[in-house]
Amino acid sequence: MCFLHLLSLLCVWLVAPSPATGDNRYKQGEPVMMYVNKVGPYHNPQETYHYYQLPVCAPEKIRLKSLTLGEVLDGDRMAESLYRIAFRQNAERETLCEMKLSISQVEELRTAIEELYYFEFMLDDIPIRGFLGYMEESGFLPHTHKIGLWSHLDINIEYNDDRIIYANVSVRDVKPFSLDDVRETLSLTHTYSVRWFPSSVTYERRGDRLRDSSFFPKSLEIHWLSIINSMVLVFLLLGFVVIILMRVLKSDLARYNLDEEGTDDMEQGDNGWKIIHTDVFRFPPYRSLLCAVLGVGFQFLALGTGIIVMVLLGLFNVHRHGAINSAAILLYALTCCVSGYVSSNFYRQLGGDRWVWNIILTTSLFSAPFFLTWSVVNSVHWANGSTQALPATTILLLLTVWLLVGFPLTVIGGIFGKNRAGNFEAPCRTKNISREIPRQPWYKSAPVHMAIGGFLPFSAISVELYYIFATVWGREQYTLYGILFIVFAILLSVGACISVALTYFQLSGEDYRWWWRSVLSTGSTGAFIFLYSVFYYWRRSNMSGVVQTVEFFGYSFLTAYVFFLMLGAVSFTASLRFIRYIYINLKMD
């Protein structure tokens, strides 16, 4: 009962909206709270700092806003601001605060403006973004380098009846406050204006209004054309592999079965994949590790499918800060039972008896690399004062969730899997003495199979992968989850087909060591994804600095590792079903 109670509390906390946000209704003149959130370099999306870390207008006592886990993971650290906004009441050049900036504080602002720092405020759960200042640099003689601070902001708010639809800030008619040649304490007055505009957009459609008027530029115009082109190429590839493979396999079965019925051509027919029927189901080395890879791989397959389906069904708002982060945390904890069940069930089928060790290996196969990578990334953020560094309370809470939800579900799934496991279904008997494997040509080696099996699935998602990277590591808002679901299905289909084809070619060379080869061949797609992340960092982004670099490559490595586990599990399952099929249909003594 305590476990169920903890799980229910976790679900509520993960997905519930934070206070004072969402479906708010206001009366004429009622106060509307503006929260300050974070600042950071424009080209480094994950390098963010709290707004009040800069020398800006701040209250004497900073009151933080309570946030959901998804918002905390997204780097949000909202606090009440000094802006006084009343619903549907305009205000002109109201004084925000008067400041005296020292030379060091002026230099801090100059550095932030030179690095293109932008700020993010929140008003009724609507992000309001703008640049801290203005920089003008001329490359002609005489060379000029001017830096100015936006000391006045025009806040424009659109409303429909008693609800807020949209908000932004403007500096169109504002002259920047110069920060050049400051040699003594600088006196500065911050002001703001508020203007309200009626809107015909309904509250239910305000997400579209936010997406259409984004602070960040849009670059998804060719999305549909690129995806259609990729899908056509993938379908042609799948059709080619399936047709060729089925024709060859049908010919092999007919020839082998005909040889069994005759006696004259017996020696001639005893070659290829038929001759290794007494070795093809010989259990591989490192069985526990193989089963753990399969279990965690199918867990992430369930996790990825669950998130995409939840978005398609509209179960959570993708425009909310950290909504997908919250869903991923919740689904990861709940799907731990999948990894435990699959791993333990298959491990028992393979004759494994160290069940406890198998469960420990399964539960740590992803969590251990994730914890090590996260520790390095979080330490770098913490050393630089970034809001991406998780607070100690959040760390303890996530650890508690894993210890009280994730790990117990892995054990429970393992118990069910162990108890429901039967005998391994092998159509052929395995001899005690293994057959000698002939020398294989270079094109049937493991590196070549990994290159082919990794590149083809990667080519199926390469176009979509750019848009995913542009969303996660850039400024895009991804909304085409229907297309993502189709591409995800294509990726799994291509991986399965390529794995079956490569396994067939391996068995045709009388090499029965297909167990790990089938995992590595298509699982190597993860290596191609990591290489693409390196290309994206250097050629497709403007990211720089230690904080952003460590974050990018740390989590890109984990992403590639997840794809290795997931595609490795799918390709192994496809190869196993294929091998069982061909040997069941083969006539043997």
Side-chain angles (χ1 to χ4, degrees), residues 20-22 24 26 31-37 65 78 81 83-87 120-129 155-158 163-169 194 196 206 210:
T21 62
N24 291 329
Y26 301 93
V32 179
M33 176 57 67
M34 170 96 81
Y35 293 96
V36 299
N37 191 12
K65 176 189 175 185
M78 301 183 200
S81 69
Y83 292 94
R84 297 293 176 258
I85 301 176
F87 187 71
E120 181 180 271
F121 297 162
M122 298 295 294
L123 187 143
D124 196 55
D125 212 25
I126 299 173
I128 301 176
R129 303 181 180 98
I155 303 173
N156 305 307
I157 307 175
E158 299 178 8
R163 288 175 167 178
I164 296 177
I165 303 300
Y166 177 73
N168 69 355
V169 293
V194 181
W196 293 83
R206 77 169 186 169
L210 295 175

Side-chain angles (χ1 to χ4, degrees), residues 465-504:
L465 199 61
Y466 166 77
Y467 296 107
I468 294 176
F469 270 68
T471 300
V472 177
W473 303 109
R475 304 298 186 180
E476 302 292 349
Q477 182 70 45
Y478 196 93
T479 56
L480 300 178
Y481 288 94
I483 293 295
L484 180 62
F485 183 77
I486 296 175
V487 173
F488 185 63
I490 290 176
L491 171 65
L492 301 180
S493 302
V494 172
C497 289
I498 295 301
S499 178
V500 168
L502 294 177
T503 300
Y504 171 79

Side-chain angles (χ1 to χ4, degrees), residues 225-277:
L225 181 61
S226 300
I227 295 303
I228 293 174
N229 181 59
S230 177
M231 290 171 59
V232 170
L233 293 177
V234 167
F235 282 129
L236 291 176
L237 173 64
L238 285 177
F240 175 79
V241 170
V242 171
I243 293 175
I244 296 300
L245 189 60
M246 291 304 296
R247 288 177 63 89
V248 173
L249 183 60
K250 183 178 180 180
S251 175
D252 283 353
L253 287 173
R255 177 164 55 91
Y256 290 158
N257 290 331
L258 182 62
D259 291 340
E260 278 292 335
E261 296 174 357
T263 57
D264 296 337
D265 300 327
M266 187 67 179
E267 294 298 324
Q268 179 180 359
D270 204 20
N271 54 47
W273 53 267
K274 175 188 175 181
I275 199 173
I276 59 173
H277 68 273

Side-chain angles (χ1 to χ4, degrees), residues 522-576:
T522 310
S524 61
T525 304
F528 283 90
I529 292 176
F530 185 78
L531 292 177
Y532 177 81
S533 69
V534 177
F535 167 78
Y536 181 87
Y537 181 86
W538 292 110
R539 296 295 184 181
R540 292 291 182 266
S541 74
N542 295 309
M543 293 182 283
S544 61
V546 176
V547 175
Q548 185 65 34
T549 301
V550 171
E551 167 106 4
F552 179 85
F553 285 107
Y555 289 125
S556 293
F557 165 75
L558 287 178
T559 301
Y561 182 52
V562 167
F563 272 89
F564 164 76
L565 296 172
M566 182 175 63
L567 293 178
V570 171
S571 62
F572 175 85
T573 304
S575 295
L576 178 59

Side-chain angles (χ1 to χ4, degrees), residues 140-333:
F140 301 99
L141 294 177
H143 176 75
T144 58
H145 183 74
K146 299 180 181 179
I147 294 179
L149 175 69
W150 298 121
S151 59
H152 178 84
L153 294 178
D154 289 327
I155 303 173
N156 305 307
I157 307 175
E158 299 178 8
Y159 67 93
N160 186 330
D161 195 16
D162 56 354
R163 288 175 167 178
I164 296 177
I165 303 300
Y166 177 73
N168 69 355
V169 293
S170 172
V171 290
R172 179 177 302 177
D173 299 324
V174 179
K175 183 179 180 181
F177 189 91
S178 177
L179 298 180
D180 299 321
D181 301 326
V182 177
R183 296 183 174 85
E184 58 184 11
T185 302
L186 182 66
S187 298
L188 175 64
T189 301
H190 284 273
T191 58
Y192 67 96
S193 299
V194 181
R195 299 184 179 92
W196 293 83
F197 302 93
S199 173
S200 59
V201 179
T202 62
Y203 181 82
E204 291 73 18
R205 303 288 297 177
R206 77 169 186 169
D208 298 335
R209 178 71 175 91
L210 295 175
R211 186 174 61 252
D212 295 339
S213 303
S214 174
F215 171 73
F216 304 113
K218 300 179 177 61
S219 60
L220 298 181
E221 288 79 5
I222 62 171
H223 196 111
W224 283 96
L225 181 61
S226 300
I227 295 303
I228 293 174
N229 181 59
S230 177
M231 290 171 59
V232 170
L233 293 177
V234 167
F235 282 129
L236 291 176
L237 173 64
L238 285 177
F240 175 79
V241 170
V242 171
I243 293 175
I244 296 300
L245 189 60
M246 291 304 296
R247 288 177 63 89
V248 173
L249 183 60
K250 183 178 180 180
S251 175
D252 283 353
L253 287 173
R255 177 164 55 91
Y256 290 158
N257 290 331
L258 182 62
D259 291 340
E260 278 292 335
E261 296 174 357
T263 57
D264 296 337
D265 300 327
M266 187 67 179
E267 294 298 324
Q268 179 180 359
D270 204 20
N271 54 47
W273 53 267
K274 175 188 175 181
I275 199 173
I276 59 173
H277 68 273
T278 58
D279 293 282
V280 72
F281 291 107
R282 187 179 304 279
F283 293 158
Y286 311 108
R287 285 175 289 176
S288 184
L289 179 59
L290 175 64
C291 296
V293 170
L294 298 179
V296 180
F298 277 109
Q299 177 188 0
F300 279 105
L301 179 61
L303 174 63
T305 305
I307 290 179
I308 298 176
V309 171
M310 288 175 64
V311 177
L312 293 177
L313 296 178
L315 297 182
F316 59 85
N317 185 2
V318 297
H319 298 288
R320 284 187 54 82
H321 274 213
I324 293 183
N325 292 338
S326 299
I329 294 292
L330 176 61
L331 284 180
Y332 177 80

Side-chain angles (χ1 to χ4, degrees), residues 510-527:
E510 300 178 13
D511 185 356
Y512 51 82
R513 299 168 300 182
W514 63 272
W515 301 77
W516 277 108
R517 179 77 68 84
S518 64
V519 173
L520 297 175
S521 60
T522 310
S524 61
T525 304

Side-chain angles (χ1 to χ4, degrees), residues 287-441:
R287 285 175 289 176
S288 184
L289 179 59
L290 175 64
C291 296
V293 170
L294 298 179
V296 180
F298 277 109
Q299 177 188 0
F300 279 105
L301 179 61
L303 174 63
T305 305
I307 290 179
I308 298 176
V309 171
M310 288 175 64
V311 177
L312 293 177
L313 296 178
L315 297 182
F316 59 85
N317 185 2
V318 297
H319 298 288
R320 284 187 54 82
H321 274 213
I324 293 183
N325 292 338
S326 299
I329 294 292
L330 176 61
L331 284 180
Y332 177 80
L334 295 178
T335 54
C336 283
C337 59
V338 175
S339 63
Y341 181 89
V342 173
S343 177
S344 180
N345 184 275
F346 198 64
Y347 182 64
R348 178 54 63 93
Q349 290 185 38
L350 297 184
D353 53 3
R354 302 179 62 185
W355 174 76
V356 176
W357 167 248
N358 175 253
I359 288 296
I360 295 176
L361 182 60
T362 301
T363 194
S364 59
L365 190 63
F366 174 76
S367 59
F370 173 81
F371 178 77
L372 292 176
T373 304
W374 170 84
S375 298
V376 174
V377 174
N378 198 69
S379 298
V380 172
H381 281 299
W382 176 80
N384 288 271
S386 172
T387 59
Q388 297 289 334
L390 296 183
T393 54
T394 303
I395 296 174
L396 291 176
L397 186 57
L398 291 176
L399 182 61
T400 302
V401 168
W402 184 80
L403 290 175
L404 298 183
V405 179
F407 183 72
L409 285 178
T410 306
V411 175
I412 293 173
I415 294 174
F416 277 96
K418 176 176 66 72
N419 294 335
R420 294 175 62 89
N423 296 325
F424 182 77
E425 298 178 2
C428 311
R429 294 189 302 269
T430 301
K431 290 185 177 180
N432 294 329
I433 300 176
S434 60
R435 179 185 177 86
E436 183 179 357
I437 300 175
R439 183 181 179 86
Q440 300 295 313

